[in-house]
Amino acid sequence: MRASFAAEMMKLRRRPALWVLLGVWFLLALAFGYLIPYALYQNPPAGMGVPEQDQILASIVPGGWLGNVVSGFPLFGAAMLVIAGALVVGSEYGWSTMGTVMTQRPGRLQVLAGKLAALAVVAVAFEVIVFAPGALASAIIGGAVDGPVDWPAVPEMLEVFAAGFLIFFTWAALGALLAVLFRGTSLPIGLGLVWLLVIEGLIAGFAGSLEVLETIRQGLPGANGGSLAATYPPTGVAETPGVSAVTGPVHAAAVLALWAMGAMAVSAYFLRRRDVT
Amino acid sequence: MTDTLVLETEHLTKRYGPQLIAVHDLDLRVRRGEVYGFLGPNGAGKTTTLRMLLGLIAPTSGTASILGSAPGSPEALAHIGALVEGFGFYPYLSGRRNLQVVARYAGVPAARVDGALDQVGLAARGGDAFKGYSLGMKQRLGLAAALLKDPALLILDEPTNGLDPEGMADMRALIRQLGRGERSVVLSSHLLGEVEQICDRVGVIQKGRLVVEGTVADLRGQAGLLVRTDSPARAREILATMAGVGPVAEVDGALRLTADPSRAAEINRRLVEGGVAVSELRPAERSLEEAFLQLTQPEGGVAR
Ligand SMILES: Nc1ncnc2c1ncn2[C@@H]1O[C@H](COP(=O)(O)OP(=O)(O)OP(=O)(O)O)[C@@H](O)[C@H]1O
Ligand SMILES: [Mg+2]
């Protein structure tokens, strides 16, 4: 497992596609989390009242740092991680490196464990790349507007980091699962994104009118990721897509953990059983 | 499994669907220290067999034991170096970096990487990205990866595929050298010359079945004579009456028979007496190629 993890990290560190993903995520998060809201605050459009303006400000100063950053996780961030998960596992099929890897020494499950551990590192990297610049941006904005600079307490920070990690790792594991099932990258990435961006949205849309869909929704990873992120207000400008409290935070965290464990278990089952050709 | 066998299969079978039996009831035995040639035409089941031996695909039935362990177990894999058809590398990494990744998985020191690159003649290009490699360079990198573990058993699936003639000669020389001493090598090929040059023992596989196994000399069969005459049909009749003269086959218009070459003079006399003009008479070994064709296409090609 240690050897597989180390080998995995050697590959990941140099992989251009992952750096591109990380860069895009960083730009997206900073632009939509700080730059655009700040511009709106500075030049409010006609019709925007003072309460709305204050709400925007609250999200981009240190007091709103955690909630503002994590609000990008359930949809945009999750999309990045489902792609990363599919890439880390699926490329081994595309490049026919699965056979090379599986004939070295570690067993199949160890290889998979190495990949999942590497994806955990990727999840942390995707957190750091937005939480750190987010803190900096909110400090700068806080200073510029002369507002109160009250940083969240350390336990709260840790809780939000953990919640963010759970959202990210769950989607990475789902991406990995799709890659194992379909033995590649393109279809898994496509299906993962359709699930996250389309199916979850459709079910949410009809959930109000159909009881059974509401029940299903309460068990979906996207809806529960959104619920978890919604625990930490303020959540930015008006409504952030994908962030709404469908369930409570404990329920949401439990459901996400179940999805992550389920995805890992099913991946392990299929990877172990199937022929590598 | 005895001490001297590095690899043993019993009734090893792989089916793909109800119709296709890629490997059929295969019993293979490879001894420690030998270079074993696994010879067969395209689609015979060579790669499928080797993948089963490496634990990549599960047999439908039958068993295999490799270095005393189950195929694909870490204990076995730790001492096996494999280059199998279709094994790839990471395109965005250099050849050297690819080997470092493989070394990590294998648990061998990264210091071996440069030696392996050197051994296959890739040292000068080791820093280039794998995606820029030519087919031959990719094949060499595959061999280098297989050598990293300094394996007790090397499994090479058509290792000269994609190499130019000089590269082929180099590769064969290297394999012969690697096969000296304690190390065992299993080499699959559809090239007879290759197997003939490199291997101690040969197993011929055809449609998933092992049709014959033995040394190269065994496969060639007994020594014989080649007779070229103006009337092959009449010559056959005469030869059929002679004691100690074996099956007669026609090869390129000449007759090949199994008989002690010392009887050449007697055969010549009998043919001439029978009114058959002999234009050529010489000792003839059955080439491995003929043996192979006879074994793998019994109903066509070479007449018996
Ligand atoms: N994954 C698969 N699904 C279905 N059939 C397969 C599969 N893999 C191999 N086969 C079939 O099994 C048979 C043996 O294939 P294999 O690749 O083992 O042959 P080979 O001896 O290695 O041939 P070559 O010299 O062309 O490499 C072929 O008929 C092939 O089509
Ligand atoms: Mg083959």
Side-chain angles (χ1 to χ4, degrees):
Chain A
M1 154 80 194
R2 268 186 52 198
S4 309
F5 173 68
E8 207 60 54
M9 290 309 293
M10 274 180 86
K11 293 185 265 180
L12 287 191
R13 273 208 309 274
R14 296 177 177 82
R15 182 145 185 196
L18 273 181
W19 288 107
V20 170
L21 271 186
L22 201 64
V24 168
W25 164 235
F26 165 78
L27 291 176
L28 261 182
L30 213 62
F32 288 97
Y34 287 93
L35 296 183
I36 295 174
Y38 185 63
L40 268 179
Y41 170 74
Q42 289 292 347
N43 317 289
M48 180 182 270
V50 175
E52 283 122 311
Q53 240 178 306
D54 284 348
Q55 202 195 345
I56 292 178
L57 184 62
S59 72
I60 56 178
V61 293
W65 168 49
L66 294 174
N68 188 38
V69 171
V70 85
S71 73
F73 282 29
L75 210 63
F76 305 129
M80 299 295 163
L81 268 292
V82 85
I83 296 174
L87 285 180
V88 164
V89 173
S91 297
E92 305 279 0
Y93 295 99
W95 294 329
S96 307
T97 42
M98 205 55 114
T100 311
V101 168
M102 296 299 191
T103 49
Q104 294 316 316
R105 188 176 200 151
R108 295 188 186 189
L109 295 188
Q110 292 193 324
V111 170
L112 180 65
K115 287 192 175 297
L116 292 167
L119 281 174
V121 173
V122 171
V124 170
F126 272 74
E127 285 203 287
V128 171
I129 198 80
V130 290
F131 273 118
L136 189 66
S138 55
I140 292 171
I141 294 171
V145 300
D146 257 346
V149 178
D150 41 7
W151 290 98
V154 172
E156 200 191 340
M157 284 188 205
L158 295 180
E159 189 186 320
V160 177
F161 295 160
F165 178 81
L166 191 55
I167 296 172
F168 276 179
F169 185 74
T170 301
W171 282 99
L174 288 169
L177 168 64
L178 288 168
V180 169
L181 291 180
F182 296 102
R183 293 185 257 206
T185 49
S186 324
L187 187 59
I189 289 174
L191 286 180
L193 293 181
V194 165
W195 175 0
L196 173 65
L197 304 178
V198 182
I199 297 176
E200 293 258 4
L202 285 176
I203 291 179
F206 287 107
S209 34
L210 255 177
E211 183 88 26
V212 59
L213 284 183
E214 179 56 39
T215 313
I216 290 176
R217 186 182 179 205
Q218 291 183 2
L220 291 178
N224 282 285
S227 304
L228 197 54
T231 318
Y232 309 101
T235 49
V237 193
E239 280 210 349
T240 311
V243 181
S244 74
V246 179
T247 60
V250 176
H251 172 103
V255 170
L256 285 178
L258 277 178
W259 273 102
M261 286 188 287
M264 292 192 281
V266 178
S267 303
Y269 174 79
F270 280 101
L271 195 67
R272 223 180 111 125
R273 263 195 84 226
R274 280 188 176 165
D275 287 350
V276 177
T277 52
Chain B
M1 166 153 170
T2 68
D3 240 3
T4 56
L5 292 180
V6 289
L7 144 58
E8 184 172 24
T9 72
E10 270 177 33
H11 309 299
L12 195 65
T13 299
K14 180 70 182 181
R15 282 174 177 275
Y16 288 110
Q19 299 293 323
L20 181 65
I21 307 180
V23 175
H24 199 162
D25 210 5
L26 194 69
D27 291 334
L28 273 188
R29 270 167 195 77
V30 177
R31 303 175 191 138
R32 185 177 307 280
E34 79 178 348
V35 179
Y36 186 91
F38 197 37
L39 190 63
N42 290 138
K46 304 183 293 293
T47 302
T48 305
T49 304
L50 298 183
R51 282 181 181 270
M52 283 194 279
L53 293 174
L54 290 166
L56 293 176
I57 64 186
T60 309
S61 59
T63 58
S65 155
I66 186 158
L67 298 174
S69 306
S73 63
E75 303 81 59
L77 289 177
H79 304 287
I80 300 173
L83 166 62
V84 174
E85 183 188 307
F87 275 19
F89 290 96
Y90 303 98
Y92 61 94
L93 295 177
S94 68
R96 181 172 289 110
R97 206 56 94 184
N98 265 294
L99 292 189
Q100 287 168 355
V101 170
V102 171
R104 264 304 157 84
Y105 274 115
V108 303
R112 288 203 197 155
V113 165
D114 282 328
L117 281 172
D118 228 11
Q119 244 179 320
V120 300
L122 259 188
R125 302 291 301 272
D128 297 1
F130 177 75
K131 60 171 173 270
Y133 278 13
S134 71
L135 184 57
M137 291 163 72
K138 290 178 178 169
Q139 198 73 353
R140 286 163 201 260
L141 189 69
L143 181 64
L147 293 177
L148 280 176
K149 285 184 253 188
D150 189 17
L153 171 62
L154 252 184
I155 292 184
L156 305 174
D157 189 12
E158 308 200 14
T160 54
N161 239 358
L163 298 184
D164 57 26
E166 198 190 330
M168 281 194 182
D170 288 352
M171 177 73 86
R172 287 172 189 158
L174 180 58
I175 296 169
R176 262 200 306 274
Q177 182 207 321
L178 291 168
R180 289 205 190 109
E182 280 290 279
R183 183 183 285 121
S184 318
V185 181
V186 174
L187 167 92
S188 94
S189 180
H190 56 253
L191 301 173
L192 295 131
E194 180 163 294
V195 167
E196 198 163 8
Q197 284 173 40
I198 304 177
C199 299
D200 306 319
R201 236 155 43 90
V202 183
V204 177
I205 182 176
Q206 157 78 351
K207 297 204 178 113
R209 290 176 185 273
L210 192 68
V211 287
V212 72
E213 192 176 40
T215 63
V216 170
D218 286 344
L219 245 73
R220 278 220 190 91
Q222 296 155 278
L225 285 167
L226 189 99
V227 189
R228 196 177 297 278
T229 68
D230 59 348
S231 164
R234 174 81 186 115
R236 269 175 185 272
E237 284 170 26
I238 295 168
L239 290 167
T241 64
M242 292 182 68
V245 175
V248 181
E250 197 161 332
V251 181
D252 289 338
L255 298 174
R256 211 206 40 243
L257 39 128
T258 45
D260 194 321
S262 66
R263 297 182 63 193
E266 182 198 348
I267 288 170
N268 184 31
R269 183 166 47 76
R270 292 282 291 271
L271 288 173
V272 172
E273 281 170 7
V276 176
V278 177
S279 55
E280 186 183 358
L281 178 58
R282 60 176 168 84
E285 267 190 334
R286 183 163 74 152
S287 76
L288 192 56
E289 182 161 5
E290 280 173 69
F292 179 67
L293 287 174
Q294 269 175 12
L295 287 163
T296 56
Q297 21 182 282
E299 60 286 322
V302 184
R304 281 216 70 133

